Amino acid sequence: MKSTEAPTAKQERPPSAQIKVSTQMRAKTIDKFMKDYEAIIGIETHVQLSTITKAFCGCPYNYGAQPNTTICPVCMGLPGALPVLNSKVIDFAVKLGLALNCKLSSKSKFDRKQYFYPDLPKGYQISQFDVPIATAGYIDLDLPVEFGGGHRRFGITRVHMEEDAGKLLHSNNGTYSEESAFLSLTLVDLNRAGVPLLEIVSEPDMRTGIEAAEYAAEIQRLVRFLGVSNGNMQEGSLRCDVNISIRPIGQLEFGTKVEIKNLNSFSSINRAIDFEISRQAVLHSQGQGDQIVQETRLWEEGAQKTVTMRKKEGLADYRYFPEPDLPEVILTEEFVDTIRNSLPELPEMKRRRYEKMGLSMQDVLFLANDTNVADFFDATIVRGADVKQAANWIMGDIAAYMKNEKISIDEIKLTPEELAVLIATIKGGTISGKIGKEILFELIARGGTVKQLIKEKDLVQIVDPNEVEKMVDKVLAENPKQLEQYRGGKTKLQGYFAGQVMKVSKGKANPGLLNKILLEKLNAKS
């Protein structure tokens, strides 16, 4: 199959029963009505692939490029232009299908999905209809502890390949006229037209907004671990459309399905679903269940509500038929095995491995969330670092530094090797934990080695009892009033004395030895 890879690099209409529900009221509504109703939730996720060129032509796609600068006759849909499939799209589709435990189709085909919109120049989208490349899979995930924890498995109906449409740009530089108070200017940017997508359709297995949001987050983790997409929602590289309905508990038939679009974060997925559950529950409770119609709704972030966008199209509206300009996609066993053997350790496998190390679920979810963080942690423990200590340092001071500086773990100067040395040096008693922190921040910001910094700054811990005793005697002699108060019953002053000794030792006194000698001196009969 020939590859085109480069060698290098809609308006709201007011519904008849608009329900306005505050966030607090919404939560109460859900709690009240969901004793009688069950929510049925499924998600369609579009993943933009990280290929160098588009799906059916040699144009690159660079997010943020000037409008209409990376287009050609193929992605513009000009007459006579023929698509040529980018073989990397097949590689990524098989990789994701295997990672989602799907059954792969040895023969799949492309279809034309007909619809007319200004950002779709051909008047149809090349997609897959009745024979997608992957079907009948599942994904496993762990819910965060703060949301009740627990393991979940959600079914995957299908994964199919398709191309993206362009993008409409709405300008405020419209013109005024007598007939219309304001005419807005809408422009079309076709840079995104033809960009390869994988659409993942879940089974309707989710029951809450939290489950749906965590499912979407796990899909993001998965595509990042696989390297098929950057998964950045803010760039549109991962887009989720939620399908939701409610039904009386015990009823087998699904309720009327509503689709929600314009969800650009995991928290908005959660909040939009909660709103829609409460909206539908209120309508049912008021005997207005017939007001729930099959439609597409938008999530308005500012108003924190869903609003009607358009009536939902049915399959018949798309008038699918096989794409005549593209051949079947045929997968050989050898090709699939090659892709399978190239798969990295996936998030679910990583979480189970970390659990076996004895880490808590909170640690596990943090470390396995980001492939770069997981790689850093693995590289640290491979060099003999204590597992729990390595996790604590990465999740604590290192994570705080990264958050403050707005950088990722692969941008800091500290290496896994030096973190392992630092942990061993503290454990061995050469330096204290407090000094270890000072060294850590030095290594993160400027690099270097633990041994070099200890030597340069003369940071070796003082473990000679005689030397520590002299420092304790000095501090007690200089603070007779506090000593008298301590011996009079104010025993909390022990911390004050310990701090003063640490100041004298410039933080180098061994804490255990210091406290032992200090207590002996403080409690000695005067």
mmCIF file of all heavy atoms in Angstrom, residues 167-191:
data_model
loop_
_atom_site.group_PDB
_atom_site.id
_atom_site.type_symbol
_atom_site.label_atom_id
_atom_site.label_comp_id
_atom_site.label_asym_id
_atom_site.label_seq_id
_atom_site.Cartn_x
_atom_site.Cartn_y
_atom_site.Cartn_z
ATOM 1 N N LYS A 167 -12.751 23.798 9.468
ATOM 2 C CA LYS A 167 -13.166 24.542 10.650
ATOM 3 C C LYS A 167 -13.752 25.881 10.227
ATOM 4 O O LYS A 167 -13.218 26.552 9.334
ATOM 5 C CB LYS A 167 -11.948 24.761 11.556
ATOM 6 C CG LYS A 167 -12.250 25.408 12.885
ATOM 7 C CD LYS A 167 -10.961 25.532 13.702
ATOM 8 C CE LYS A 167 -11.230 26.156 15.053
ATOM 9 N NZ LYS A 167 -9.992 26.292 15.847
ATOM 10 N N LEU A 168 -14.856 26.266 10.871
ATOM 11 C CA LEU A 168 -15.461 27.567 10.597
ATOM 12 C C LEU A 168 -14.885 28.619 11.545
ATOM 13 O O LEU A 168 -14.765 28.379 12.747
ATOM 14 C CB LEU A 168 -16.978 27.502 10.766
ATOM 15 C CG LEU A 168 -17.735 26.609 9.773
ATOM 16 C CD1 LEU A 168 -19.238 26.671 10.051
ATOM 17 C CD2 LEU A 168 -17.454 27.023 8.341
ATOM 18 N N LEU A 169 -14.515 29.755 10.992
ATOM 19 C CA LEU A 169 -13.991 30.862 11.792
ATOM 20 C C LEU A 169 -15.012 31.989 11.768
ATOM 21 O O LEU A 169 -15.382 32.472 10.691
ATOM 22 C CB LEU A 169 -12.655 31.352 11.215
ATOM 23 C CG LEU A 169 -11.564 30.294 11.032
ATOM 24 C CD1 LEU A 169 -10.361 30.907 10.322
ATOM 25 C CD2 LEU A 169 -11.152 29.723 12.386
ATOM 26 N N HIS A 170 -15.463 32.385 12.937
ATOM 27 C CA HIS A 170 -16.482 33.436 13.038
ATOM 28 C C HIS A 170 -15.807 34.751 13.417
ATOM 29 O O HIS A 170 -15.190 34.864 14.472
ATOM 30 C CB HIS A 170 -17.540 33.062 14.068
ATOM 31 C CG HIS A 170 -18.210 31.752 13.753
ATOM 32 N ND1 HIS A 170 -19.165 31.630 12.783
ATOM 33 C CD2 HIS A 170 -18.025 30.516 14.275
ATOM 34 C CE1 HIS A 170 -19.569 30.373 12.712
ATOM 35 N NE2 HIS A 170 -18.890 29.675 13.612
ATOM 36 N N SER A 171 -15.931 35.732 12.553
ATOM 37 C CA SER A 171 -15.284 37.026 12.768
ATOM 38 C C SER A 171 -16.288 38.045 13.278
ATOM 39 O O SER A 171 -17.465 38.028 12.920
ATOM 40 C CB SER A 171 -14.665 37.522 11.457
ATOM 41 O OG SER A 171 -14.249 38.867 11.592
ATOM 42 N N ASN A 172 -15.812 38.954 14.114
ATOM 43 C CA ASN A 172 -16.668 40.041 14.604
ATOM 44 C C ASN A 172 -16.697 41.224 13.644
ATOM 45 O O ASN A 172 -17.418 42.186 13.845
ATOM 46 C CB ASN A 172 -16.170 40.526 15.973
ATOM 47 C CG ASN A 172 -16.412 39.492 17.049
ATOM 48 O OD1 ASN A 172 -17.376 38.750 16.989
ATOM 49 N ND2 ASN A 172 -15.525 39.437 18.032
ATOM 50 N N ASN A 173 -15.853 41.143 12.612
ATOM 51 C CA ASN A 173 -15.768 42.279 11.682
ATOM 52 C C ASN A 173 -16.848 42.183 10.607
ATOM 53 O O ASN A 173 -16.566 42.172 9.408
ATOM 54 C CB ASN A 173 -14.377 42.306 11.029
ATOM 55 C CG ASN A 173 -13.290 42.481 12.066
ATOM 56 O OD1 ASN A 173 -13.471 43.228 13.014
ATOM 57 N ND2 ASN A 173 -12.176 41.788 11.887
ATOM 58 N N GLY A 174 -18.082 42.085 11.043
ATOM 59 C CA GLY A 174 -19.196 41.999 10.107
ATOM 60 C C GLY A 174 -19.583 43.377 9.589
ATOM 61 O O GLY A 174 -18.916 44.378 9.858
ATOM 62 N N THR A 175 -20.652 43.415 8.849
ATOM 63 C CA THR A 175 -21.129 44.691 8.305
ATOM 64 C C THR A 175 -22.558 44.947 8.762
ATOM 65 O O THR A 175 -23.319 44.020 9.010
ATOM 66 C CB THR A 175 -21.091 44.664 6.761
ATOM 67 O OG1 THR A 175 -21.891 43.567 6.320
ATOM 68 C CG2 THR A 175 -19.673 44.504 6.251
ATOM 69 N N TYR A 176 -22.903 46.196 8.856
ATOM 70 C CA TYR A 176 -24.260 46.587 9.251
ATOM 71 C C TYR A 176 -25.093 46.885 8.002
ATOM 72 O O TYR A 176 -24.577 47.327 6.974
ATOM 73 C CB TYR A 176 -24.205 47.831 10.142
ATOM 74 C CG TYR A 176 -23.620 47.562 11.500
ATOM 75 C CD1 TYR A 176 -22.255 47.673 11.718
ATOM 76 C CD2 TYR A 176 -24.445 47.184 12.563
ATOM 77 C CE1 TYR A 176 -21.714 47.418 12.966
ATOM 78 C CE2 TYR A 176 -23.914 46.931 13.809
ATOM 79 C CZ TYR A 176 -22.554 47.055 14.010
ATOM 80 O OH TYR A 176 -22.027 46.795 15.256
ATOM 81 N N SER A 177 -26.362 46.622 8.094
ATOM 82 C CA SER A 177 -27.260 46.956 6.981
ATOM 83 C C SER A 177 -28.620 47.325 7.552
ATOM 84 O O SER A 177 -28.920 47.034 8.705
ATOM 85 C CB SER A 177 -27.396 45.762 6.025
ATOM 86 O OG SER A 177 -28.109 44.722 6.654
ATOM 87 N N GLU A 178 -29.486 47.948 6.743
ATOM 88 C CA GLU A 178 -30.816 48.329 7.208
ATOM 89 C C GLU A 178 -31.681 47.096 7.434
ATOM 90 O O GLU A 178 -32.522 47.067 8.325
ATOM 91 C CB GLU A 178 -31.482 49.255 6.175
ATOM 92 C CG GLU A 178 -30.803 50.612 6.071
ATOM 93 C CD GLU A 178 -31.499 51.511 5.054
ATOM 94 O OE1 GLU A 178 -32.540 51.092 4.510
ATOM 95 O OE2 GLU A 178 -31.002 52.633 4.815
ATOM 96 N N GLU A 179 -31.504 46.082 6.559
ATOM 97 C CA GLU A 179 -32.326 44.875 6.676
ATOM 98 C C GLU A 179 -31.960 44.069 7.924
ATOM 99 O O GLU A 179 -32.810 43.451 8.550
ATOM 100 C CB GLU A 179 -32.148 43.985 5.434
ATOM 101 C CG GLU A 179 -32.676 44.597 4.149
ATOM 102 C CD GLU A 179 -31.720 45.625 3.556
ATOM 103 O OE1 GLU A 179 -30.537 45.628 3.966
ATOM 104 O OE2 GLU A 179 -32.171 46.435 2.723
ATOM 105 N N SER A 180 -30.674 44.054 8.259
ATOM 106 C CA SER A 180 -30.212 43.253 9.404
ATOM 107 C C SER A 180 -29.318 44.123 10.264
ATOM 108 O O SER A 180 -28.466 44.844 9.752
ATOM 109 C CB SER A 180 -29.433 42.023 8.914
ATOM 110 O OG SER A 180 -28.881 41.343 10.009
ATOM 111 N N ALA A 181 -29.558 44.084 11.563
ATOM 112 C CA ALA A 181 -28.763 44.919 12.467
ATOM 113 C C ALA A 181 -27.284 44.583 12.354
ATOM 114 O O ALA A 181 -26.431 45.449 12.429
ATOM 115 C CB ALA A 181 -29.252 44.726 13.897
ATOM 116 N N PHE A 182 -26.970 43.307 12.144
ATOM 117 C CA PHE A 182 -25.563 42.931 12.082
ATOM 118 C C PHE A 182 -25.401 41.665 11.253
ATOM 119 O O PHE A 182 -26.153 40.704 11.409
ATOM 120 C CB PHE A 182 -25.033 42.686 13.497
ATOM 121 C CG PHE A 182 -23.551 42.344 13.530
ATOM 122 C CD1 PHE A 182 -22.610 43.340 13.383
ATOM 123 C CD2 PHE A 182 -23.129 41.030 13.691
ATOM 124 C CE1 PHE A 182 -21.254 43.046 13.414
ATOM 125 C CE2 PHE A 182 -21.777 40.729 13.719
ATOM 126 C CZ PHE A 182 -20.838 41.737 13.579
ATOM 127 N N LEU A 183 -24.505 41.703 10.319
ATOM 128 C CA LEU A 183 -24.181 40.513 9.533
ATOM 129 C C LEU A 183 -22.791 40.036 9.941
ATOM 130 O O LEU A 183 -21.805 40.737 9.716
ATOM 131 C CB LEU A 183 -24.195 40.833 8.039
ATOM 132 C CG LEU A 183 -25.544 41.271 7.448
ATOM 133 C CD1 LEU A 183 -25.381 41.666 5.982
ATOM 134 C CD2 LEU A 183 -26.563 40.141 7.575
ATOM 135 N N SER A 184 -22.703 38.867 10.580
ATOM 136 C CA SER A 184 -21.397 38.362 10.995
ATOM 137 C C SER A 184 -20.675 37.765 9.798
ATOM 138 O O SER A 184 -21.290 37.339 8.812
ATOM 139 C CB SER A 184 -21.558 37.301 12.089
ATOM 140 O OG SER A 184 -22.235 36.181 11.581
ATOM 141 N N LEU A 185 -19.365 37.711 9.889
ATOM 142 C CA LEU A 185 -18.540 37.189 8.814
ATOM 143 C C LEU A 185 -18.038 35.813 9.222
ATOM 144 O O LEU A 185 -17.403 35.657 10.261
ATOM 145 C CB LEU A 185 -17.353 38.140 8.577
ATOM 146 C CG LEU A 185 -16.415 37.799 7.418
ATOM 147 C CD1 LEU A 185 -17.157 37.882 6.094
ATOM 148 C CD2 LEU A 185 -15.230 38.761 7.425
ATOM 149 N N THR A 186 -18.353 34.791 8.422
ATOM 150 C CA THR A 186 -17.910 33.432 8.701
ATOM 151 C C THR A 186 -16.968 32.975 7.600
ATOM 152 O O THR A 186 -17.315 33.025 6.410
ATOM 153 C CB THR A 186 -19.114 32.469 8.790
ATOM 154 O OG1 THR A 186 -19.982 32.919 9.826
ATOM 155 C CG2 THR A 186 -18.642 31.062 9.121
ATOM 156 N N LEU A 187 -15.792 32.562 7.994
ATOM 157 C CA LEU A 187 -14.775 32.101 7.051
ATOM 158 C C LEU A 187 -14.530 30.613 7.266
ATOM 159 O O LEU A 187 -14.794 30.064 8.340
ATOM 160 C CB LEU A 187 -13.470 32.877 7.261
ATOM 161 C CG LEU A 187 -13.590 34.397 7.181
ATOM 162 C CD1 LEU A 187 -12.256 35.048 7.550
ATOM 163 C CD2 LEU A 187 -14.007 34.836 5.789
ATOM 164 N N VAL A 188 -14.005 29.949 6.233
ATOM 165 C CA VAL A 188 -13.717 28.520 6.322
ATOM 166 C C VAL A 188 -12.209 28.302 6.251
ATOM 167 O O VAL A 188 -11.541 28.801 5.340
ATOM 168 C CB VAL A 188 -14.401 27.734 5.180
ATOM 169 C CG1 VAL A 188 -14.093 26.239 5.305
ATOM 170 C CG2 VAL A 188 -15.899 27.956 5.207
ATOM 171 N N ASP A 189 -11.677 27.571 7.232
ATOM 172 C CA ASP A 189 -10.268 27.173 7.244
ATOM 173 C C ASP A 189 -10.213 25.679 6.954
ATOM 174 O O ASP A 189 -10.717 24.867 7.735
ATOM 175 C CB ASP A 189 -9.649 27.487 8.610
ATOM 176 C CG ASP A 189 -8.201 27.002 8.726
ATOM 177 O OD1 ASP A 189 -7.603 26.670 7.675
ATOM 178 O OD2 ASP A 189 -7.686 26.954 9.856
ATOM 179 N N LEU A 190 -9.596 25.298 5.843
ATOM 180 C CA LEU A 190 -9.556 23.890 5.441
ATOM 181 C C LEU A 190 -8.253 23.183 5.849
ATOM 182 O O LEU A 190 -8.000 22.060 5.395
ATOM 183 C CB LEU A 190 -9.759 23.771 3.930
ATOM 184 C CG LEU A 190 -11.126 24.218 3.404
ATOM 185 C CD1 LEU A 190 -11.200 24.079 1.891
ATOM 186 C CD2 LEU A 190 -12.246 23.438 4.074
ATOM 187 N N ASN A 191 -7.447 23.834 6.674
ATOM 188 C CA ASN A 191 -6.200 23.170 7.105
ATOM 189 C C ASN A 191 -6.469 21.807 7.733
ATOM 190 O O ASN A 191 -5.706 20.863 7.552
ATOM 191 C CB ASN A 191 -5.460 24.039 8.126
ATOM 192 C CG ASN A 191 -4.677 25.158 7.468
ATOM 193 O OD1 ASN A 191 -4.530 25.193 6.244
ATOM 194 N ND2 ASN A 191 -4.177 26.088 8.273
#
